[in-house]
Amino acid sequence: MTENVVCTGAVNAVKEVWEKRIKKHNEDLKREKEFQQKLVRIWEERVSLTKLKEKVTREDGRVILKIEKEEWKSLPSSLLKLNQLQEWQIHRTGLLKIPEFIGRFQNLIVLDLSRNIISEIPRGIGLLTRLQELILSYNKIKTVPKELSNCASLEKLELAVNRDICDLPQELSSLLKLTHLDLSMNQFTTIPPAVLNMPALEWLDMGSNRLEQLPDAIERMKSLHTFWLQRNQITCLPETISNMKNLGTIVLSNNKLQDIPLCMGEMENLRFVNFRDNPLKLEVTLPPSESVDEEEERELFGLQFMHTYIQESRRKADDEVNCLITSPTSINTDE
């Protein structure tokens, strides 16, 4: 009995020693693997940094990172060593996200990441107080963070062809320097209040959305001179559009307009309009051109068409009034 106890104790002691050795061996292997992985990461980052440095150029005194048609699904943290960059131009690389450390590139003036697969804009974007241009067209972005309103120097914002953006945060109305905004080919059903209240906005593209009408508050966009509204479902225009005194170009082709408001005839700064492919209720024939050159330059549904249409609308309204005035009335008299 005593011998069995001694034997069992010896076996357990040996087993414990071996288990400790095996555990230590596994821990050593794990540390070795982690060390090897760390070395690989360091090596990969050095290689990536070398490749990135090769993509840096100088144009007009500006330090620019240019990458085109190369696979970069993510940007390595080693990019932080190039924090003197003033412009990123990264196109068609399959980039999936804007790095979280983007806010540390305080010298950025232009951030152009169009034609990638980016699905969101990080809140850190708001730290780029010197950023003047943000171009994120042809991506898969669905929402815009309110922190973008902190980019106080922003003058140009392009979010075209993301296809799923349907609203903008109200805070963006505080972008006091924004003059150029492209929201075309998304899912907007109305012009966001933030856009209506952007004081410096001069150029706006909301073509190929789902707009059905324009708000009366459209007149707030006092600085706007170019307005793209093609390929929507707009059925009528508000009278307040005539208060947009600086508007020089408005494109309304491929909508559902049935009429052109008379007040548009008073918009003296209009230089280019397009009403092509709308179910307008009046058929208008333009007067013949005096020369072949004039005929070639004339827009069939342009400014001359608009003024002719408005004249015809007024003439028809006057005819209806005259018809009512001169129509015979039957008078019953008691005999």
Side-chain angles (χ1 to χ4, degrees):
M1 181 73 177
T2 304
E3 292 179 357
N4 288 339
V5 171
V6 171
C7 183
T8 302
V11 169
N12 288 338
V14 171
K15 181 180 178 183
E16 185 177 347
V17 170
W18 274 105
E19 285 177 346
K20 287 182 178 179
R21 287 182 178 179
I22 291 170
K23 183 179 180 182
K24 184 177 183 302
H25 178 68
N26 287 338
E27 288 175 350
D28 289 343
L29 286 176
K30 183 180 179 181
R31 279 194 294 270
E32 177 68 19
K33 185 178 180 180
E34 289 175 349
F35 180 70
Q36 292 292 336
Q37 289 175 340
K38 185 177 180 180
L39 286 178
V40 169
R41 284 197 301 272
I42 292 172
W43 174 253
E44 287 178 343
E45 289 212 352
R46 286 181 178 177
V47 171
S48 296
L49 182 58
T50 300
K51 289 176 66 177
L52 288 169
K53 285 181 177 178
E54 293 172 353
K55 305 296 181 184
V56 176
T57 62
R58 286 183 178 270
E59 294 181 11
D60 300 324
R62 188 178 292 182
V63 185
I64 304 173
L65 174 65
K66 281 188 177 183
I67 307 177
E68 184 90 23
K69 296 181 181 178
E70 292 183 13
E71 186 171 306
W72 288 82
K73 291 186 178 180
S74 62
L75 295 173
S77 58
S78 58
L79 183 58
L80 285 166
K81 294 182 179 179
L82 301 178
N83 60 5
Q84 78 278 15
L85 290 171
Q86 296 170 291
E87 184 169 338
W88 290 11
Q89 292 185 17
I90 303 176
H91 311 141
R92 294 186 173 93
T93 65
L95 187 65
L96 294 170
K97 62 182 296 186
I98 301 172
E100 293 294 333
F101 53 75
I102 185 67
R104 294 170 67 178
F105 286 83
Q106 291 292 303
N107 294 314
L108 267 185
I109 296 173
V110 176
L111 181 56
D112 183 352
L113 303 176
S114 53
R115 298 185 184 276
N116 284 292
I117 319 175
I118 298 166
S119 58
E120 62 179 330
I121 304 172
R123 290 181 296 177
I125 198 83
L127 297 173
L128 303 178
T129 55
R130 296 181 183 177
L131 191 68
Q132 295 177 12
E133 296 184 16
L134 177 59
I135 303 174
L136 295 171
S137 299
Y138 292 89
N139 277 287
K140 295 188 176 181
I141 296 165
K142 293 184 179 181
T143 59
V144 178
K146 64 182 181 180
E147 286 78 8
L148 183 59
S149 63
N150 296 324
C151 298
S153 300
L154 199 63
E155 299 175 4
K156 183 176 185 178
L157 175 60
E158 294 195 352
L159 297 167
V161 201
N162 276 280
R163 301 193 183 279
D164 288 322
I165 303 175
C166 61
D167 200 7
L168 294 179
Q170 179 63 51
E171 288 82 356
L172 296 196
S173 62
S174 64
L175 293 172
L176 303 181
K177 294 185 178 181
L178 193 70
T179 60
H180 177 111
L181 178 60
D182 191 346
L183 300 174
S184 59
M185 294 190 73
N186 279 290
Q187 294 294 321
F188 290 93
T189 57
T190 187
I191 299 177
V195 175
L196 295 172
N197 293 318
M198 290 176 176
L201 197 61
E202 298 177 357
W203 193 100
L204 174 61
D205 191 345
M206 294 205 68
S208 298
N209 275 282
R210 298 169 57 199
L211 303 178
E212 294 184 1
Q213 60 182 6
L214 303 181
D216 288 336
I218 197 173
E219 63 182 347
R220 292 180 193 164
M221 296 191 287
K222 300 292 186 183
S223 301
L224 200 69
H225 63 65
T226 302
F227 201 1
W228 298 84
L229 291 162
Q230 73 284 355
R231 297 185 183 281
N232 279 286
Q233 302 169 37
I234 301 169
T235 56
C236 62
L237 300 174
E239 294 287 322
T240 53
I241 195 170
S242 63
N243 295 328
M244 301 175 73
K245 302 301 183 182
N246 286 315
L247 196 63
T249 295
I250 184 168
V251 179
L252 288 154
S253 54
N254 291 95
N255 274 283
K256 296 183 178 180
L257 291 172
Q258 295 185 19
D259 212 354
I260 299 175
L262 301 181
C263 63
M264 288 191 72
E266 302 165 6
M267 298 176 70
E268 297 178 356
N269 286 325
L270 268 184
R271 294 293 178 267
F272 181 86
V273 300
N274 191 337
F275 288 95
R276 186 183 296 276
D277 296 323
N278 279 281
L280 295 168
K281 63 185 181 182
L282 293 182
E283 291 188 8
V284 172
T285 302
L286 296 179
S289 301
E290 296 181 0
S291 67
V292 176
D293 290 340
E294 184 181 334
E295 181 67 32
E296 290 178 352
E297 292 178 1
R298 182 168 64 176
E299 283 286 336
L300 292 180
F301 292 89
L303 199 61
Q304 186 179 7
F305 170 84
M306 183 190 79
H307 287 297
T308 304
Y309 187 100
I310 289 172
Q311 289 174 3
E312 181 65 19
S313 294
R314 285 180 173 144
R315 186 193 63 77
K316 187 174 181 182
D318 290 343
D319 288 348
E320 289 175 354
V321 170
N322 291 333
C323 184
L324 288 173
I325 293 174
T326 59
S327 60
T329 55
S330 56
I331 302 174
N332 294 325
T333 57
D334 294 331
E335 294 182 359

